[in-house]
Amino acid sequence: MKTEELISTATALMAGDKGLLAMDESTGTCNKRFAEAGIPQTVEYRRAYRELIVTTPNLGNCLSGAILYDETIYQSTKKGMLFIDILKKAGIIPGIKVDEGAVNMAGFPGEKVTEGLDGLRQRLEKYYDLGARFAKWRAVIIINEDTPTKANIEANMHLLARYAGLCQENGIVPIVEPEVLMDGDHSIKRCQKVTEKVLKALFKQLEKQRVDLRGIILKPNMVLPGLKNTKQASINKVAKATVNTLLKCVPPIVPGIAFLSGGQSPELATAHLNAMHVNYKGKLPWALTFSFARAIQQPAMDLWKGDDKNVKAAQKVLYKRASLNNAARRGEYTPDMEQEENPKLTVMSQKVIG
Ligand code: 13P
């Protein structure tokens, strides 16, 4: 196994106050977001949108890595420069989503299992040659009256561990993403219980499959009440429930944890990350950062609307959102920064936090 390489990639992904941008929406998901924003759902619009993202000036100040999708990894700017080369030039490590989506689990109505192990070794070899140094696989856990079942958790965590092993064999750092969905009206307590069960099952499977925990990144949900629950939790309560759950389940040897945003507003996702750093400064064994998709991209996509004349304004908003998350990682984010046109963001305090 390429241990040194894995450790060095994982360390670079967690460096300083940086984080990751998930820009790996499958064609279906990207089209769904485009439809909601009134943007035509064509391959050229998807390409133009990804060009807007990767050519955002100074994005490398904020991001250590960006997760691409199979379609995007082969795409180029209008002038013919490969996106993957632009990212590398900006000091952003390219990653790739390799799961093939969540499908209904046979025999378990209402639950999903993620596909994508077939041929994965060959795909990883190809992505490595293209320049990807980390990958992502997302498992989806659904909270309902009688879900998640033990069988569903076990199946998904086993697949995540098998994927992680294959990535490491190929010198690629696996981002291991067991997402407990926010859909529903469950309480924060229920989310905490389920998240704990899922993470414990995950680390059991990772150990069984001989995955080197020094060369993975965990991408979990934050611990939150369901979106339809009328009793939402305070920012500090979410921060504490999340970190306490992670402290119970995630071995200290894991180098980093990078959250998904999961449908939270961009402002709340940033505020939650900030509160974790404020409350637990110097007390965390792993680095704690962001790997958001919607919570970084959404305001930019809404502004762009598929129109060339909005590209610069959208890039400005994208940069601001990313750098507010850097501030959150330093525990220096305040809601006032949202109003400021150019918030004073101490770009690049290089200390490793957490
Ligand atoms: P969100 O931040 O929009 O939840 O997406 C993160 C992600 O990568 C989901 O797989």
Side-chain angles (χ1 to χ4, degrees):
M1 205 201 295
K2 305 167 176 173
T3 309
E4 296 292 311
E5 184 178 9
L6 293 171
I7 293 176
S8 116
T9 303
T11 309
L13 286 170
M14 287 296 131
D17 57 6
K18 293 185 187 182
L20 311 178
L21 170 66
M23 48 178 291
D24 62 335
E25 296 81 4
S26 62
T27 302
T29 305
C30 188
N31 285 347
K32 189 172 144 231
R33 305 252 153 89
F34 274 11
E36 284 159 8
I39 299 164
Q41 297 108 62
T42 66
V43 66
E44 176 49 24
Y45 275 91
R46 289 194 298 276
R47 192 208 58 76
Y49 175 61
R50 267 69 183 250
E51 174 167 347
L52 177 161
I53 296 178
V54 300
T55 58
T56 295
N58 304 316
L59 204 55
N61 288 347
C62 315
L63 301 180
S64 54
I67 316 172
L68 304 172
Y69 177 59
D70 187 68
E71 177 179 270
T72 322
I73 201 166
Y74 300 102
Q75 284 174 326
S76 321
T77 60
K78 243 189 176 146
K79 287 188 184 148
M81 201 161 169
L82 279 168
F83 292 163
I84 197 160
D85 290 338
I86 296 180
L87 291 171
K88 282 197 266 182
K89 218 168 148 207
I92 300 171
I93 303 171
I96 180 81
K97 169 191 173 76
V98 299
D99 70 68
E100 292 180 334
V103 298
N104 293 336
M105 179 156 150
F108 292 82
E111 294 194 289
K112 304 261 182 204
V113 71
T114 301
E115 293 189 326
L117 279 190
D118 288 350
L120 182 57
R121 177 176 276 131
Q122 291 71 28
R123 286 196 287 134
L124 288 166
E125 283 166 5
K126 186 184 65 182
Y127 288 138
Y128 186 95
D129 288 343
L130 286 169
R133 290 295 175 270
F134 70 102
K136 184 190 103 171
W137 177 293
R138 172 176 177 253
V140 175
I141 303 294
I142 297 164
I143 300 186
N144 227 315
E145 240 162 67
D146 38 29
T147 69
T149 58
K150 192 162 179 254
N152 178 256
I153 294 176
E154 267 173 14
N156 271 309
M157 299 311 117
H158 172 79
L159 290 164
L160 268 171
R162 294 271 308 284
Y163 138 84
L166 280 163
C167 284
Q168 291 193 333
E169 179 192 88
N170 287 285
I172 288 185
V173 169
I175 292 200
V176 178
E177 180 177 1
E179 175 173 5
V180 177
L181 291 187
M182 285 179 80
D183 299 346
D185 61 359
H186 52 268
S187 64
I188 186 167
K189 216 171 185 175
R190 181 91 203 284
C191 178
Q192 184 162 15
K193 277 204 177 125
V194 172
T195 304
E196 190 176 324
K197 215 183 258 178
V198 166
L199 291 177
K200 285 197 169 144
L202 171 65
F203 283 98
K204 206 183 258 178
Q205 287 290 340
L206 289 171
E207 197 190 325
K208 252 192 196 165
Q209 297 299 325
R210 301 186 176 167
V211 173
D212 187 337
L213 296 186
R214 296 170 301 170
I216 69 159
I217 286 166
L218 175 68
K219 176 160 171 166
N221 50 287
M222 295 185 190
V223 173
L224 297 153
L227 278 169
K228 287 202 192 121
N229 189 319
T230 46
K231 212 174 138 212
Q232 287 300 310
S234 71
I235 288 168
N236 275 331
K237 187 163 179 182
V238 169
K240 285 179 185 165
T242 303
V243 174
N244 288 337
T245 305
L246 294 171
L247 284 170
K248 261 193 202 168
C249 307
V250 185
I253 199 168
V254 170
I257 298 176
F259 291 104
L260 60 96
S261 58
Q264 304 176 68
S265 71
E267 295 80 5
L268 259 184
T270 307
H272 287 146
L273 179 64
N274 185 67
M276 293 181 214
H277 282 292
V278 169
N279 285 300
Y280 293 88
K281 215 175 184 91
K283 291 186 194 144
L284 301 174
W286 0 257
L288 207 59
T289 191
F290 57 92
S291 175
F292 300 154
R294 283 165 288 179
I296 292 180
Q297 290 184 44
Q298 202 59 53
M301 189 190 286
D302 291 341
L303 227 164
W304 175 53
K305 295 193 191 81
D307 192 335
D308 272 355
K309 74 174 184 325
N310 298 329
V311 166
K312 281 214 159 61
Q315 288 181 327
K316 216 170 150 194
V317 165
L318 186 87
Y319 181 83
K320 179 173 169 181
R321 211 56 260 152
S323 49
L324 288 173
N325 285 304
N326 299 140
R329 200 181 156 183
R330 300 191 303 269
E332 291 172 4
Y333 166 80
T334 61
D336 306 348
M337 290 172 167
E338 299 287 348
Q339 312 313 326
E340 294 164 27
E341 169 111 355
N342 291 305
K344 276 188 212 74
L345 299 159
T346 338
V347 177
M348 289 294 53
S349 74
Q350 278 299 349
K351 61 185 184 288
V352 176
I353 301 166

